[in-house]
Amino acid sequence: MPASPSTARAINDRLALRLLQHEGPLTAGQLKQLTGLSRPTVADLVERLTAAGLISVVGETGEQRRGPNARVYGIVADRAHLAALDVRTEGVAVTVADLLGRVLAEASVPIGGDTGTEPAVEQAVSLVERVVEEAGADRLHTVGIGAPGLIDPASGELRHSTGLPAWHRRLAAALQERLPETRVSVENETNLAALAEQRDGAARDRDTFVLLWLGHGTGAAVVLDGALRRGASGGTGEIGFLPVPGTRGLPSSTDCEGGFHSLVSSAAVLRLAAEHGVEPEPGQEESAVGVVRAAAGLVRAAVRRGRGGAPEGGDAVAPARSGPEPSARFLDALAGRVAVGAASVVAILDPGCVVLGGEVGQAGGEALAARVQDRLARMTPLPTEVRPTGLGGGAVLRGALLTARDRAQDELFAPGERPGRSAAAR
């Protein structure tokens, strides 16, 4: 059946807004050409969107022709402000952006492991408020939070997890209490990193791929046919619990030691490096963050040595044996371990592409990805390309911002919001 006039208007308006988002400011004539709509229909939708405060005149064309120059329309970027949070074990990073996703202000703060739950939550919330003020925003429309751990698909909240700070689970509720008109949501960090890689990073040309997160812990995100798959309990990608050869035991329901985690976590990478004669600088491993940085530093330095370069400041390696051979053996051994877990994922999902993310994946870059791909080719008949992250350490924050922007636009671009403006968006 043909769409009703109101439905047709809503479809046309969304189409125009999406074009303005992706193409930038456009004239009514350009909107007509890109949408295929008639001139009167485009004129009507421009009038509606302008009245709703979603678009405005941002300039005029400079074309040489008779008559007045054509007006150029663009989305009103300050129609709503968004925030993205990357919640880590020992700190939080915050970005505030406009409706188009343009970053206006950002900052981070460390939160020590001995900080109590409420003081830690207050530090994080106060940081958000400070960054909002620095961005010149009156209020936030939507907040997207990326955090380690499982997300309950029924409640959308972080599930209790041993080894993670209690303030992580309290943060979303605290933000909602402090900012009652703001939409607050939380998502697993690896899932957000995969969404960012799909939109802006290494998997832009892939509808199906798997992101392996190699950092303090180990995780995976699965994107099939363009959609992120979370599983019945939100646990898709808990690859750290995957039973694999090469460990001293089996994982349990409460501890991933003995699983894939035991082979490629940051602590495991440090042990593997020591077995091959490379050691981090003393004092780097005093905290969870120190372990991650030390492991990533060793991998990065090993890659440089493999190219014939010397380690740079902050990534020093003190090899027990000089020369590039220990570093090369270390990278080969690490790639073999990563391939063990990747091969299991490939055998079940056949994603065609695996992206190596997290601090260790970023540090390994093309050198580690190429080694993993070579080993996968020997272990599975399914052709699989292995790529390094295209976004590095900013993937989680970028994914949180993209998610917040999508949710804000879905609401603001909906017909029910017009012609008035919601209180949270003003």
Side-chain angles (χ1 to χ4, degrees):
M1 296 179 62
S4 67
S6 60
T7 300
R9 285 194 295 269
I11 293 172
N12 293 339
D13 290 358
R14 275 182 175 263
L15 175 58
L17 287 164
R18 294 302 180 191
L19 285 170
L20 289 168
Q21 174 188 317
H22 294 295
E23 302 293 333
L26 298 168
T27 65
Q30 290 170 325
L31 281 171
K32 174 182 178 298
Q33 181 179 10
L34 291 170
T35 60
L37 299 172
S38 68
R39 188 177 300 277
T41 300
V42 170
D44 287 343
L45 73 83
V46 166
E47 183 178 354
R48 282 194 304 274
L49 296 177
T50 301
L54 290 173
I55 68 173
S56 65
V57 176
V58 296
E60 294 183 347
T61 60
E63 299 174 359
Q64 298 297 322
R65 60 183 179 82
R66 293 182 179 180
N69 291 335
R71 293 177 175 179
V72 178
Y73 297 91
I75 290 177
V76 179
D78 63 357
R79 176 72 163 81
H81 290 96
L82 324 166
L85 280 69
D86 182 3
V87 178
R88 315 304 294 172
T89 304
E90 296 186 15
V92 60
V94 177
T95 290
V96 172
D98 61 26
L99 186 58
L100 291 175
R102 294 183 300 216
V103 174
L104 303 175
E106 52 190 348
S108 61
V109 65
I111 298 177
D114 57 350
T115 306
T117 299
E118 290 307 316
V121 169
E122 181 59 33
Q123 278 186 262
V125 174
S126 296
L127 178 66
V128 173
E129 293 176 331
R130 175 165 64 84
V131 179
V132 169
E133 183 178 356
E134 292 175 358
D138 293 332
R139 63 190 70 189
L140 292 174
H141 183 283
T142 306
V143 174
I145 303 173
L150 293 177
I151 308 299
D152 188 320
S155 66
E157 298 177 351
L158 272 172
R159 292 166 53 181
H160 176 72
S161 178
T162 58
L164 293 177
W167 65 268
H168 281 198
R169 297 185 65 238
R170 175 79 181 98
L171 179 56
L175 277 170
Q176 193 66 79
E177 292 167 6
R178 190 77 66 89
L179 308 170
E181 295 179 330
T182 300
R183 293 83 171 148
V184 179
S185 62
V186 61
E187 177 61 90
N188 173 267
E189 60 177 356
T190 307
N191 287 344
L192 288 178
L195 290 174
E197 295 287 357
Q198 182 186 28
R199 300 272 283 274
D200 298 332
R204 282 175 292 181
D205 60 337
R206 294 281 182 170
D207 287 332
T208 296
F209 70 98
V210 170
L211 171 73
L212 288 186
W213 185 270
L214 307 174
H216 176 65
T218 307
V222 177
V223 176
L224 299 178
D225 299 325
L228 180 69
R229 306 298 181 179
R230 294 178 174 83
S233 65
T236 294
E238 284 297 301
I239 197 173
F241 287 87
L242 182 70
V244 292
T247 64
R248 297 180 179 178
L250 290 173
S252 69
S253 60
T254 58
D255 190 353
C256 57
E257 286 299 326
F260 186 49
H261 173 89
S262 297
L263 293 184
V264 295
S265 67
S266 291
V269 171
L270 290 180
R271 291 191 295 269
L272 181 65
E275 292 173 10
H276 289 82
V278 291
E279 300 280 356
E281 286 185 331
Q284 282 190 331
E285 307 167 53
E286 297 176 355
S287 65
V289 171
V291 171
V292 174
R293 289 175 178 169
L298 288 178
V299 172
R300 190 176 295 109
V303 171
R304 290 198 188 106
R305 286 181 178 274
R307 296 172 181 159
E312 297 177 3
D315 292 330
V317 178
R321 297 182 295 275
S322 61
E325 291 155 313
S327 295
R329 287 197 295 268
F330 163 52
L331 283 179
D332 287 341
L334 176 58
R337 289 187 173 193
V338 174
V340 167
S344 298
V345 173
V346 168
I348 296 172
L349 298 176
D350 187 19
C353 178
V354 173
V355 177
L356 303 184
E359 294 86 350
V360 171
Q362 178 186 2
E366 292 283 359
L368 180 60
R371 284 172 163 85
V372 174
Q373 180 170 319
D374 178 67
R375 281 150 186 78
L376 272 179
R378 305 178 202 171
M379 299 170 68
T380 173
L382 305 177
T384 306
E385 184 179 1
V386 181
R387 302 174 179 179
T389 170
L391 299 173
V396 175
L397 203 57
R398 180 61 181 165
L401 181 57
L402 288 169
T403 301
R405 189 187 73 182
D406 288 349
R407 288 173 176 164
Q409 289 183 351
D410 283 345
E411 179 177 325
L412 293 173
F413 293 178
E417 282 292 320
R418 305 185 196 129
R421 299 177 66 174
S422 68
R426 288 197 293 269

